[in-house]
Amino acid sequence: MTSPQILLLPGWQNSDPDHWQSRWEAIYGDHRVEQHDWMRPLRGDWSARLEEEVIAAPGPVALVAHSLGCILVAAWAVHTRHAGKVRGALLVAPGDVERDDLRQMIPGWSPIVRQPLPFPARMIAANNDPYCVAERSREMARDWGASYIDAGARGHINSESGLGDWPEGRKLLTDLLKEH
């Protein structure tokens, strides 16, 4: 079976050079889905970019989403006709864009799509994420049909979390793709 192309889906404001997604891009050659506007994300624009990248991929893909990227995966999945190309999705630290402060900072992303994903998914979230309380991330995982892993006290699982190359996350992705 062909190995899937890894599509990295950063969240709002993109992933900085010390973020594990940027490190995976450098180490493994994963492909970052570049958005037209990282500061003022529009759900329709971001979804169209993801659609273009999935269509352009020569074979299967795996989605590796962080924060708003997780919300993007759920929104995209209900509209695409290309979900069959997705072997799996690793959803890391979803942002709760239904929360008042985030809904105002990132308008147009609420409500969060809560339909089951049409491909295997695994979510990993911290129990002290400042952008999404653990119970909300568990609800999203359940609604999306994703398995859930509690990362402990890792914050937003980003650069500030001090994960470096985050080999544990890579193993979660590898295991997900082996299982499905």
Side-chain angles (χ1 to χ4, degrees), residues 86-141:
V86 179
R87 290 257 314 276
L90 183 67
L91 308 169
V92 182
D96 185 359
V97 293
E98 293 177 346
R99 217 169 74 175
D100 285 341
D101 59 338
L102 293 181
R103 188 171 51 240
Q104 291 174 24
M105 286 190 287
I106 312 169
W109 287 81
S110 179
I112 296 169
V113 173
R114 295 297 191 111
Q115 294 180 16
L117 296 173
F119 39 77
R122 179 166 291 152
M123 181 189 290
I124 181 164
N127 59 27
N128 66 338
D129 189 328
Y131 301 107
C132 187
V133 297
E135 185 51 40
R136 291 284 289 166
S137 58
R138 279 189 186 90
E139 288 171 9
M140 286 182 231

Side-chain angles (χ1 to χ4, degrees), residues 4 6 17-19 54 56 69-70 78-80 83 91 129 137 147 169-170:
I6 308 300
D18 293 327
H19 194 286
V54 170
C70 300
V78 298
H79 297 292
T80 186
L91 308 169
D129 189 328
S137 58
S147 60
R170 194 68 183 197

Side-chain angles (χ1 to χ4, degrees), residues 150-167:
D150 184 335
R154 292 275 180 90
H156 197 46
I157 311 180
N158 58 7
S159 300
E160 287 104 46
S161 301
L163 300 170
D165 298 339
W166 199 34

